[in-house]
């Protein structure tokens, strides 16, 4: 045929515009005489251009038209032009699936099978597919009929008549009908075998879950029993095995029509090494005694589909209880997690980035996460017992086990990835999960999913986006610590009846089970999502609360926090989903009064417990930046200091929570075994926090009364434990205030300004509010309580030059600038260094004076009735003993040993040891005693919510302090004995080193 050049150019352009990538080849097809209607009718050309691959669709249409009888060709094309639904479906299949195009070329009349499904709302089920396969009497005709039915499924799929879930369910229904037809053919070929046995076919995997792929192994398990005529078991099983084997051959063998799909029975007991068919009792015995965790996971999707359906139902009924007991197996959760990791590890390196099913962020990540959650929570919640992934995910979200946003994102990602998998397999009807690499294949794949602007780039972007979502949520859900804790509960513990809960509470050590039950009822009653999530959390939390000295306080605290935050979307989601947040909260709430009290004043601080960085103390620089920024935003000094105190309260909670969790440990984070590191961390954190708060208060007062600059330079010098970075939770801030008039400001105005600043700072930091006060103690100033609160630097110099006593020099050992004018603070340190580190050391008179003061303090300041062996500050071998001993060494040798010039007790002790001023053994004894006494004081404050220098007398409080120090229930006597033993040894060292005995 001769073409007209002008028309050829016009057609070439039209083909390019319609998405043809090989327009020259397409032109040659259109020039064929039988294709004249396509060439001249824009409807067909437009329809071809709308397909995933117009070139493939045109090539398939040419083959289909050529395969018709000459008199039938025009009828086919006329029908396509006139019937849009049929046109879209047929051309859609031809443009997506080369394999189905091949089938239509071999069976050119099968296109008419699409006519019966033109109604958009017709979605066939098993019965319809059985009718479509009814005329198949042998394996070859069954394969042809199967492909004809598959053609109708694919047509609805590519045209969007069905969504992914309907499409997968139809494929599973077609597989069910095919298994039944294949079994009927096998039975007709061996009627004597059929008469000798009952055979049930149990679908597993995606077929069992109603979520089959286009090309997938159909996993099955066979169950056989003797027929009712009295056939012996052995004969019946042999007959059933022959039938099952014949069924597998019918479906799996490849001919010119291709295979239907492999029937895989390797999920049966003992896998390929086990008998193909077992009796129901044999199956049950195996699963009761020998089955591995993954085998119960596989049974989640078990469904009788063919053969003796009554026997299949008996199989499901018998094994179902075992499936929902699997989570109680030892190491169940970790076994499932390890299995998933093994799957990823076994993917070839060249394929891992293209693996749509098994790779990280792939389909298996969604399925494993959902199945693990089902097995753990489905023991007590029957709504979760679905074999279909997305139905189970929907139920998990409805029950509060998965966040609704997470579930929606997983659902969307799973649908997209499964749609990709379907379209990849549909092209050549080959079993593959690898994303193709060629540009042409990717373009067809992208267009088949509706991505038309830039199909390849859009496909890659969407695939990576959904894969990233899946991987993130898989890690979040699959490795959630709460899962393992829930799995370890006995079945009766996962849902608590009132009576059972009361008995369990009493057994767990709750002192007031009736009150605890009221809290449980308030937390878990109702049908709200909040109640549903709390019903999941509570059984685990109760156990964690019980692993403390005061379970009742833990439960009460949880109720109070939940009442305050329960309507906040992120709160329960945090406890359910984020790392060890729930366990951390349980430990903190049941450890004593301080941390819960701080939390309840601002419950949103619970978010710190779910952040991996949330328990790390923040440095002074960051704290000061935040405090000063908050002060700068506030309206007035009072509001500014309130903001600074709010930061302090939050950071005190962070420090206390980190201290408790580090001391107790959790499943994710074992207890720390270096008490000295714990003490140093608390001391540094609280010191930095108080310094930042004082800096904020100073800025607030100056800004309100003087604007940008105070008339006098002003510095705050930390003293005592504040200067030594050794503060505990309840410590006051010991300070000195120093100022220096600015140029041109008279002394009276400067002094008045400095005193006003001090008075206002102290007032604002102690105002009664929801935040704990910060008490400023200036009693270590010259002349003590009778002396002026603030002095100039020159006044300090004059006083220390003329009047300073040895105890004041000793007190200055801990002086360190904390806030205000840094230069003035450093000049104060330069002023006092000769006093605290006197040249050539202390004279004997000064040493005797220090010893006399210490002895007097021991006799006069110890509270009446206090046990001197248990008082952490003034008692035998306590803080005072160690500190005075170290400070005496500093004053005697600091002039010649630079390492001793530190405000910190432990650093000075280490320096004294390095300088060989104290033996290794003695240094360790003193350090152990100081650390232990400090930890006891910290523990008492955490437990009681108020400071104390001796062990509590209340039994529960004493037990809680013991728990903080690492002693289990019933071992508080050992704790007290250990304290006495440690401090007794320290006192012996003090007698020798300090008193010279």
């Amino acid at each position: 045929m001769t073409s007209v050049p002008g028309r050829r150019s016009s057609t070439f352009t039209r083909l390019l515009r319609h998405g043809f990538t090989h327009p020259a080849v397409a032109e040659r097809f259109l020039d064929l005489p039988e294709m004249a209607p396509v060439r001249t009718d824009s409807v067909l050309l437009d329809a071809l251009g709308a397909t995933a691959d117009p070139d493939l669709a045109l090539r398939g249409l040419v083959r289909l038209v050529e395969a018709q009888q000459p008199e039938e060709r025009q009828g086919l094309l006329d029908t396509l032009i006139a019937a849009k639904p049929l046109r879209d479906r047929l051309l859609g299949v031809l443009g997506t699936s080369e394999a189905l195009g091949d089938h239509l070329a071999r069976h050119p009349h099968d296109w008419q099978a699409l006519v019966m499904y033109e109604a958009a709302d017709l979605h066939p089920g098993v019965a319809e597919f059985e009718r479509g396969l009814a005329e198949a009497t042998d394996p070859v005709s069954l394969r042809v009929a199967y492909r004809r039915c598959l053609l109708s499924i694919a047509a609805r799929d590519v045209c969007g008549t069905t969504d992914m879930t309907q499409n997968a369910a139809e494929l599973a229904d077609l597989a069910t009908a095919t298994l039944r037809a294949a079994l009927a053919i096998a039975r007709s070929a061996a009627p004597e075998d059929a008469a000798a046995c009952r055979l049930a076919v149990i679908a597993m995997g995606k077929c069992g879950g109603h979520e089959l792929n286009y090309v997938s192994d159909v996993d099955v398990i066979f169950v056989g029993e003797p027929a009712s005529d009295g056939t012996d078991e052995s004969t019946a099983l042999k007959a059933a095995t022959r039938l099952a084997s014949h069924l597998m051959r019918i479906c799996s063998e490849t001919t010119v029509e291709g295979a239907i799909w492999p029937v895989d029975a390797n999920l049966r007991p003992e896998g390929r090494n086990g008998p193909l068919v077992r009796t129901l009792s044999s199956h049950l015995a195996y699963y009761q005694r020998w089955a591995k965790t993954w085998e119960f996971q596989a049974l989640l999707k078990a469904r009788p589909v063919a053969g003796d359906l009554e026997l299949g139902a008996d199989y499901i009924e018998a094994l179902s209880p075992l499936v929902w007991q699997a989570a109680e197996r030892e190491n169940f959760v970790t076994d499932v997690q390890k299995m998933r990791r093994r799957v990823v590890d076994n993917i070839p390196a060249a394929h891992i980035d293209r693996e749509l099913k098994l790779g990280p962020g792939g389909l298996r990540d969604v399925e494993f996460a959902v199945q693990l959650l089902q097995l753990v929570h489905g023991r007590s919640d029957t709504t979760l017992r679905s074999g279909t992934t997305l139905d189970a995910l929907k139920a998990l979200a409805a029950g509060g086990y998965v966040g609704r946003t997470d579930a929606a994102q997983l659902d969307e990602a799973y649908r997209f990835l499964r749609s990709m998998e379907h379209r990849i397999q549909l092209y050549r009807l080959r079993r593959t999960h690898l994303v193709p690499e060629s540009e042409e294949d990717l373009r067809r794949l992208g267009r088949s999913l509706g991505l038309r602007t830039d199909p390849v780039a859009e496909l890659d972007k969407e695939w990576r986006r959904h894969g990233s979502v899946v991987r993130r949520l898989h890690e979040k859900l699959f490795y959630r610590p709460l899962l393992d804790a829930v799995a370890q509960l006995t079945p009766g513990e996962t849902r608590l009846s009132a009576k059972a809960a009361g008995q369990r509470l009493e057994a767990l050590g709750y002192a007031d089970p009736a009150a605890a039950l009221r809290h449980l009822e308030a937390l878990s009653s109702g049908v709200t999502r909040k109640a549903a999530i709390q019903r999941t959390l509570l059984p685990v939390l109760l156990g964690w609360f019980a692993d403390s000295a005061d379970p009742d306080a833990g439960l009460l605290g949880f109720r109070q926090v939940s009442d305050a935050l329960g309507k906040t979307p992120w709160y329960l989601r945090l406890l359910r989903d984020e790392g060890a947040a729930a366990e951390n909260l349980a430990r903190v709430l049941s450890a004593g009064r301080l941390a819960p009290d701080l939390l309840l004043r601002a419950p949103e601080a619970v978010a710190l417990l779910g952040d991996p960085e949330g328990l790390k103390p923040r440095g002074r620089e960051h704290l000061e930046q935040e405090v000063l920024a908050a002060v700068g935003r506030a309206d007035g000094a009072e509001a500014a200091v309130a903001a600074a105190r709010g930061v302090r309260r939050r950071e005190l909670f962070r420090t206390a929570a980190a201290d408790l969790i580090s001391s107790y440990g959790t499943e994710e984070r074992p207890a720390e075994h270096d008490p000295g590191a714990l003490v140093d961390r608390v001391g540094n954190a609280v010191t930095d926090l108080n310094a930042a708060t004082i800096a904020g208060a100073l800025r607030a007062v100056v800004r309100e009364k003087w604007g940008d600059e105070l008339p006098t330079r002003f510095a705050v010098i930390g003293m005592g434990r504040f200067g030594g970075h050794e503060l505990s939770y309840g410590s006051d801030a010991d300070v000195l205030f120093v100022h220096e008039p600015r140029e041109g400001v008279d002394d009276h105005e400067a002094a008045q300004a400095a005193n006003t600043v001090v008075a206002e700072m102290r007032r604002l930091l102690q105002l009664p509010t929801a935040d704990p006060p910060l008490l400023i103690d200036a009693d270590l100033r010259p002349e003590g309580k009778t002396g002026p609160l603030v002095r100039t630097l020159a006044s300090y110099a004059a006083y220390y030059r003329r009047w300073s006593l040895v105890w004041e020099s000793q007190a200055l050992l801990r002086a360190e600038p904390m806030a205000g004018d840094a230069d003035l603070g450093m000049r104060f340190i330069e002023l006092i260094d000769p006093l605290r580190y006197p040249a050539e050391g202390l004279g004997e008179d000064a040493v005797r004076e220090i010893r006399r003061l210490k002895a007097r303090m021991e006799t006069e300041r110890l509270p009446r009735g206090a046990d001197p062996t248990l008082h952490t500050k003034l008692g035998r071998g306590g803080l005072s003993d160690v500190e005075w001993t170290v400070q005496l060494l500093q004053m005697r040798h600091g002039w010649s040993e630079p390492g001793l010039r530190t405000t910190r007790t432990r650093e000075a002790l280490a320096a004294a040891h390095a300088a060989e001023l104290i033996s290794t053994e003695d240094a360790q004894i003193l350090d152990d005693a100081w650390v232990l006494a400090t930890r006891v004081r910290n523990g008492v404050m955490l437990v009681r919510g108020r400071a104390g220098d001796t062990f509590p007398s209340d039994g529960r409080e004493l037990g809680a302090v013991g728990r903080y120090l690492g002693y289990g229930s019933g071992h508080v006597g050992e704790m007290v004995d250990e304290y006495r033993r440690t401090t007794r040894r320290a006192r012996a060292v003090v007698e020798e080193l300090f008193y010279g005995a």
Side-chain angles (χ1 to χ4, degrees):
M1 178 178 179
T2 303
S3 300
V4 179
R7 183 188 62 76
R8 175 175 293 278
S9 175
S10 173
T11 303
F12 191 93
T13 302
R14 289 174 64 203
L15 292 171
L16 281 174
R17 190 170 63 249
H18 278 83
F20 287 83
T21 55
H22 303 289
V25 176
E27 273 195 297
R28 288 198 295 273
F29 281 131
L30 292 173
D31 282 342
L32 296 172
E34 57 268 31
M35 298 305 291
V38 180
R39 184 174 63 246
T40 59
D41 194 293
S42 61
V43 169
L44 282 176
L45 196 59
D46 288 346
L48 286 166
T51 64
D53 187 341
D55 299 271
L56 179 64
L58 177 59
R59 187 163 67 247
L61 180 60
V62 169
R63 295 176 66 203
L64 176 59
V65 170
E66 288 179 337
Q68 306 293 316
Q69 295 297 322
E71 66 275 11
E72 297 172 333
R73 294 172 181 171
Q74 189 62 45
L76 167 61
L77 293 173
D78 288 345
T79 302
L80 291 179
I81 293 170
K84 182 180 185 332
L86 176 64
R87 177 174 67 245
D88 290 344
R89 287 179 176 176
L90 178 58
L91 295 183
V93 168
L94 292 174
T96 306
S97 178
E98 184 178 70
L100 288 177
D102 293 343
H103 172 83
L104 286 170
R106 290 194 304 272
H107 304 281
H109 294 139
D110 277 5
W111 68 270
Q112 297 177 19
L114 301 181
V115 176
M116 62 180 291
Y117 296 112
E118 282 191 6
D121 60 348
L122 179 57
H123 302 298
V126 175
E128 287 78 15
F129 288 128
E130 283 187 301
R131 285 194 289 273
L133 303 177
E135 296 180 5
T137 56
D138 58 73
V140 174
S141 61
L142 179 61
R143 292 185 180 92
V144 174
Y146 171 81
R147 289 293 173 91
R148 187 183 305 121
C149 293
L150 191 67
L151 176 67
S152 70
I153 293 176
R156 288 188 297 281
D157 177 19
V158 298
C159 291
T161 303
T162 56
D163 66 10
M164 185 280 297
T165 55
Q166 292 171 319
N167 177 240
E170 287 185 15
L171 289 167
D173 286 343
L174 176 56
T176 296
T178 306
L179 288 169
R180 292 177 182 179
L183 182 57
I185 293 172
R187 280 173 165 166
S188 66
E192 66 287 354
D193 285 342
C197 67
R198 300 169 65 197
L199 177 64
V201 183
I202 310 297
M204 305 286 284
K206 283 185 163 51
C207 183
H210 267 105
E211 48 191 15
L212 197 61
N213 297 334
Y214 276 103
V215 187
S216 176
D217 291 356
V218 171
D219 297 305
V220 299
I221 285 177
F222 296 109
V223 187
E225 294 286 349
S228 57
D229 63 1
T231 307
D232 71 87
E233 185 175 293
S234 175
T235 301
L237 287 178
K238 289 177 181 177
T241 300
R242 288 191 289 270
L243 290 175
S245 299
H246 193 182
L247 177 153
M248 294 174 69
R249 289 196 302 275
I250 291 170
C251 296
S252 305
E253 287 180 349
T254 302
T255 67
V256 67
E257 297 294 342
I260 299 176
W261 18 249
V263 176
D264 188 342
N266 288 337
L267 291 178
R268 66 186 185 268
E270 300 179 76
R272 65 184 62 195
N273 297 319
L276 185 63
V277 184
R278 288 176 182 259
T279 63
L280 176 54
S281 60
S282 176
H283 275 284
L284 191 57
Y286 173 83
Y287 284 108
Q288 286 172 334
R289 297 188 61 189
W290 308 111
K292 297 180 175 63
T293 296
W294 70 264
E295 293 178 278
F296 294 105
Q297 186 179 353
L299 285 170
L300 268 174
K301 297 182 180 292
R303 177 172 65 93
V305 291
D308 192 315
L309 296 182
E310 182 180 348
L311 176 58
D314 291 341
Y315 173 89
I316 299 299
E317 183 179 358
L319 266 62
S320 182
L322 300 181
V323 173
W324 302 110
Q325 294 167 12
E328 297 158 29
R329 296 163 65 93
E330 187 175 358
N331 299 320
F332 165 76
V333 171
T334 53
D335 283 350
V336 177
Q337 292 167 343
K338 287 177 183 176
M339 182 166 63
R340 173 62 188 130
R341 285 193 288 265
R342 281 197 299 272
V343 169
V344 175
D345 291 343
N346 289 330
I347 300 172
H351 290 171
I352 194 163
D353 289 336
R354 298 168 50 217
E355 177 58 70
L356 194 64
K357 177 180 179 182
L358 302 178
L363 293 162
R364 191 56 60 84
D365 272 353
V366 181
E367 293 161 355
F368 262 59
V370 169
Q371 289 165 18
L372 181 56
L373 289 166
Q374 282 183 277
L375 288 167
V376 169
H377 298 296
R379 294 176 295 164
S380 54
D381 189 344
T382 58
T383 65
L384 306 181
R385 299 181 182 183
S386 170
T388 305
T389 300
L390 292 185
D391 288 348
L393 179 59
K394 183 178 179 181
L396 285 164
Y401 306 99
V402 175
R404 283 173 290 198
T405 300
D406 290 348
Q409 290 179 334
L410 273 182
D411 182 282
E412 180 188 10
Y414 189 73
R415 289 174 186 272
F416 182 84
L417 297 175
R418 284 298 305 274
S419 296
M420 276 186 71
E421 180 186 45
H422 280 189
R423 300 302 166 80
I424 291 169
Q425 294 183 349
L426 187 56
Y427 176 49
R428 286 181 175 154
L429 289 181
R430 291 179 182 170
R431 183 175 181 270
T432 179
H433 312 290
L434 292 178
V435 177
E437 295 180 290
S438 77
E439 182 97 1
E440 186 174 352
D441 287 339
L442 290 170
R443 180 176 182 274
R444 180 182 58 256
L445 178 58
R447 284 174 58 92
S448 76
L449 295 170
L451 307 173
R452 296 301 175 98
T453 304
D454 186 352
V456 176
E458 290 178 72
L459 175 66
D460 184 71
K461 180 180 177 181
E462 287 298 294
W463 173 33
R464 301 300 176 189
R465 178 174 72 85
H466 287 299
S468 175
V469 167
V470 168
R471 192 60 188 161
R472 175 177 61 82
L473 294 178
H474 171 79
E475 295 286 349
K476 174 178 174 179
L477 299 175
F478 197 63
Y479 297 102
R480 182 193 295 165
L482 190 63
L483 266 179
D484 201 29
V486 174
Q488 292 173 25
L489 297 173
T490 62
E493 292 175 315
T494 57
R495 285 293 183 269
L496 299 167
S497 68
K499 182 178 179 181
Q503 292 171 343
R504 180 165 185 256
L505 289 168
E506 193 169 355
L508 286 172
Y510 285 78
D512 190 351
L517 274 176
R518 289 194 296 272
H519 297 322
L520 290 176
E521 177 66 20
L523 287 163
S524 61
S525 62
V527 295
T528 64
R529 185 172 183 79
K530 170 186 171 184
I533 295 175
Q534 290 187 149
R535 282 194 292 270
T536 302
L537 291 169
L538 279 168
V540 181
L541 290 171
L542 288 174
W544 285 331
F545 293 146
D547 186 29
S548 72
D550 196 349
D552 301 78
L555 181 55
L556 172 61
F558 179 68
R559 179 180 176 182
Q560 291 171 325
V561 173
S562 293
D563 286 346
L565 292 177
K567 293 182 180 178
T568 307
W570 57 264
Y571 166 62
L572 291 173
R573 184 168 67 240
L574 169 82
L575 299 186
R576 182 192 58 202
D577 297 344
E578 298 297 338
E583 186 175 0
N584 286 342
L585 179 62
R587 301 302 185 198
V588 167
L589 290 176
S590 57
R593 297 179 185 175
L594 178 65
D597 183 54
L598 292 168
L599 179 60
L600 290 170
R601 296 181 189 198
E604 64 275 5
V606 76
L608 298 174
L609 302 177
D611 180 357
E613 301 296 311
L615 296 175
K616 292 183 179 179
R618 301 173 66 203
R620 186 184 303 184
E621 182 179 350
H622 287 97
L623 289 170
E624 195 163 311
Q625 286 177 354
E626 181 181 1
V627 167
L628 293 180
V631 166
R633 292 190 299 268
D635 184 14
E638 190 166 318
V641 175
R645 289 173 65 182
V647 173
R648 179 172 178 265
R649 180 248 310 129
R650 184 197 68 211
E651 295 303 318
L652 278 175
F653 172 73
R654 187 199 304 271
T655 303
D659 189 17
L660 289 166
I661 292 163
S662 297
S663 299
Y664 290 8
T666 65
E667 292 179 12
E668 272 203 344
R669 188 198 302 258
E672 292 190 22
H673 299 293
D674 183 355
L678 294 171
V679 163
D680 290 344
R681 191 182 308 159
V682 171
N684 285 323
V686 179
T687 298
D688 288 343
L689 179 53
N690 285 356
T693 306
I694 290 172
L698 175 59
R699 173 73 62 85
V701 173
V702 171
R703 187 184 66 168
E704 178 163 278
K705 294 186 178 295
W706 291 278
D708 294 335
E709 187 175 87
L710 191 65
T712 184
R713 292 181 178 85
F714 184 89
V716 181
I717 309 298
M719 299 289 286
R721 293 189 175 280
F722 188 24
H725 293 254
E726 297 162 356
L727 288 178
S728 62
Y729 301 105
S731 298
D732 296 348
D734 291 313
V735 300
L736 297 178
F737 298 112
V738 58
H739 79 104
E740 184 177 69
R742 296 186 185 277
E743 188 175 349
V745 178
D746 67 64
D747 292 350
H748 177 72
E749 180 187 354
Q752 188 175 35
N755 278 282
T756 300
V757 166
V758 170
E760 190 65 3
M761 283 174 56
R762 297 179 79 184
R763 183 184 73 83
L764 292 174
L765 288 170
Q766 297 176 41
L767 275 178
T769 69
D771 297 314
L774 175 55
L775 302 179
I776 304 294
D777 188 340
D779 289 353
L780 292 176
R781 65 187 184 270
E783 303 176 80
K785 295 180 180 180
T786 61
L789 269 175
V790 189
R791 289 176 181 263
T792 63
L793 185 62
S795 175
Y796 276 107
Y799 175 86
Y800 288 135
R801 185 170 58 251
R802 297 183 62 190
W803 309 109
S804 178
L805 301 176
V806 68
W807 72 264
E808 291 177 298
S809 297
Q810 183 181 352
L812 289 170
L813 283 168
R814 302 226 192 160
E816 181 176 301
M818 289 294 177
D821 190 298
D823 176 68
L824 179 60
M826 290 312 300
R827 284 191 285 130
F828 179 85
I829 296 303
E830 291 170 3
L831 168 68
I832 65 171
D833 271 351
L835 291 170
R836 55 186 182 173
Y837 310 123
E840 304 302 326
L842 286 177
E844 285 305 313
D845 289 344
V847 171
R848 281 195 297 272
E849 176 64 12
I850 289 176
R851 288 170 175 168
R852 186 186 66 79
L853 288 171
K854 176 71 169 68
R856 180 181 170 189
M857 184 178 69
E858 289 178 13
T859 58
E860 295 180 0
R861 296 184 60 186
L862 189 70
R864 181 176 298 178
D867 184 346
T869 67
L870 294 177
H871 198 279
T872 59
K873 182 177 181 180
L874 303 174
R876 182 193 68 188
L879 297 171
S880 178
D881 269 1
V882 176
E883 289 164 4
W884 282 61
T885 302
V886 171
Q887 289 162 14
L888 182 59
L889 291 170
Q890 288 181 280
M891 297 183 75
R892 298 181 80 173
H893 303 284
W895 67 278
S896 61
E897 294 293 341
L900 291 171
R901 299 171 200 167
T902 174
T903 63
R904 307 181 187 212
T905 301
R906 297 188 73 214
E907 281 189 8
L909 182 58
H913 171 250
E916 299 182 353
L917 301 174
I918 183 173
S919 70
T920 301
E921 182 182 5
D922 287 351
Q924 188 63 57
I925 288 171
L926 292 181
D927 188 71
D928 288 346
W930 189 89
V931 167
L932 179 56
T934 303
R935 291 211 73 210
V936 170
R937 294 183 90 205
N938 284 343
V940 169
M941 183 66 188
L942 286 168
V943 169
R944 302 179 68 192
R946 61 182 187 274
D949 290 317
T950 189
F951 288 95
S953 56
D954 177 83
R956 273 189 179 267
E957 292 179 346
L958 185 61
V961 172
R963 186 73 176 83
Y964 171 73
L965 294 177
Y967 293 88
S969 177
H971 294 275
V972 293
E974 296 175 22
M975 171 184 67
V976 174
D977 289 345
E978 177 63 23
Y979 182 84
R980 285 192 168 115
R981 183 165 48 251
T982 301
T983 54
R984 184 174 62 246
R985 295 175 67 201
R987 179 64 182 192
V989 175
V990 171
E991 294 283 358
E992 180 182 350
L993 292 180
F994 184 81
Y995 287 110

